Amino acid sequence: GYVKDGATTKYNLPALRSFKEWNPQDGVSGIKDFIVNGLEDLNRQVQQEICDTFDPTGQIEAKTLALDMHTQSRRFILELCAWMDQFYYELVESSESTPDEAWELLSSIVRRMFEVIRVPRTGAATAARDKNSIQRSSTILWSLIQSHRVMHDLLESRFRNHTAIAPVIILHVFRTRITRVAHATSIRRIEGRLALLEKGQNGTGGGGRKQQQNHKDKGEKESGDNDTPGGRK
């Protein structure tokens, strides 16, 4: 999601604040369906534009490269969309993460992916200022090829195993999971409180039984006094 300069947000993807917004699982709404359906609509259109742009006789290599980059871009997006669903459910079902925790990690990973992809493309950001058209085109093409290499590496590593993603997962674990020492301390504190509660209940129960026994003894004594000759009127 886009955030204006100077603005801050606690969300890794401001336009996607929860998994439900990504995939509500109704088959008709959600950002995932919007992307997948839109990608299918554009696929044939982009392919036709590439074929119309390049001369089929003298620019066959350039046309082949453009078609190949288009195909790989489409594959990357489709596989990323499928992986996002898979990884989210894996976190919720296998690691017992809450939906919010699972989305926090997933969205941070996706954000990191696009940050890594963007790095080699920065070289093309200033290429438009180059007056030499050949140099300008070469700079843009080189940047795009390098970004596609990063996308290829992400696909081959199944996203999560990429070297840029591991630190994100480790940092999330450190932030959301307590240490063994803290866990043991919490357990001892809880056990101490339970012991105090049990002690208090036992004390109250014992006192109650003693009071009931005193009432019983007093009642029996009064009954015995009424049975004596002096006790009858």
Side-chain angles (χ1 to χ4, degrees):
Y2 175 75
V3 181
K4 294 182 179 179
D5 292 340
T8 59
T9 175
K10 67 177 182 178
Y11 300 101
N12 295 305
L13 304 174
L16 286 173
R17 302 186 175 186
S18 67
F19 182 79
K20 188 176 181 179
E21 294 181 10
W22 165 251
N23 183 11
Q25 298 178 308
D26 57 9
V28 295
S29 62
I31 301 300
K32 177 188 176 182
D33 282 342
F34 178 80
I35 292 175
V36 173
N37 294 333
L39 194 62
E40 293 303 318
D41 293 339
L42 288 173
N43 182 40
R44 188 179 299 274
Q45 177 184 339
V46 173
Q47 287 181 337
Q48 188 61 49
E49 289 179 353
I50 292 174
C51 293
D52 293 342
T53 300
F54 295 100
D55 185 350
T57 56
Q59 298 176 323
I60 186 65
E61 293 84 359
K63 175 183 174 181
T64 302
L65 177 61
L67 288 172
D68 181 64
M69 293 175 70
H70 167 64
T71 300
Q72 293 304 318
S73 296
R74 179 173 174 271
R75 177 196 170 198
F76 178 83
I77 294 174
L78 291 176
E79 292 202 24
L80 176 60
C81 289
W83 177 82
M84 287 175 66
D85 286 357
Q86 175 189 347
F87 188 64
Y88 175 83
Y89 290 121
E90 179 182 333
L91 289 173
V92 173
E93 297 173 4
S94 301
S95 66
E96 299 182 353
S97 298
T98 65
D100 289 342
E101 287 178 341
W103 181 250
E104 168 68 21
L105 175 56
L106 176 57
S107 60
S108 62
I109 289 176
V110 174
R111 176 171 179 168
R112 181 56 181 159
M113 286 183 193
F114 284 99
E115 288 175 347
V116 173
I117 294 172
R118 185 176 180 272
V119 171
R121 298 171 68 98
T122 56
T126 58
R129 303 175 186 175
D130 197 331
K131 296 181 180 180
N132 188 320
S133 60
I134 297 179
Q135 182 65 34
R136 180 173 62 249
S137 299
S138 299
T139 301
I140 294 174
L141 180 59
W142 176 255
S143 299
L144 290 175
I145 292 175
Q146 295 307 307
S147 65
H148 271 262
R149 179 176 294 178
V150 175
M151 292 162 58
H152 174 77
D153 292 342
L154 285 166
L155 281 171
E156 291 298 312
S157 62
R158 297 304 303 157
F159 301 110
R160 74 171 76 188
N161 298 322
H162 193 272
T163 54
I165 304 306
V168 178
I169 298 176
I170 294 173
L171 181 60
H172 175 80
V173 172
F174 273 119
R175 283 194 310 215
T176 59
R177 296 294 182 266
I178 63 174
T179 63
R180 292 183 179 180
V181 174
H183 180 266
T185 301
S186 299
I187 293 298
R188 286 196 298 270
R189 187 181 298 113
I190 293 173
E191 289 175 345
R193 291 178 179 177
L194 289 175
L196 289 174
L197 287 173
E198 291 176 356
K199 184 178 180 181
Q201 289 177 352
N202 291 335
T204 302
R209 287 193 296 270
K210 184 176 181 180
Q211 187 176 9
Q212 291 176 359
Q213 184 64 37
N214 290 337
H215 284 301
K216 181 179 179 182
D217 294 343
K218 183 178 180 181
E220 291 176 352
K221 182 178 180 182
E222 290 177 351
S223 176
D225 290 342
N226 289 335
D227 291 339
T228 59
R232 295 192 187 94
K233 292 183 180 179

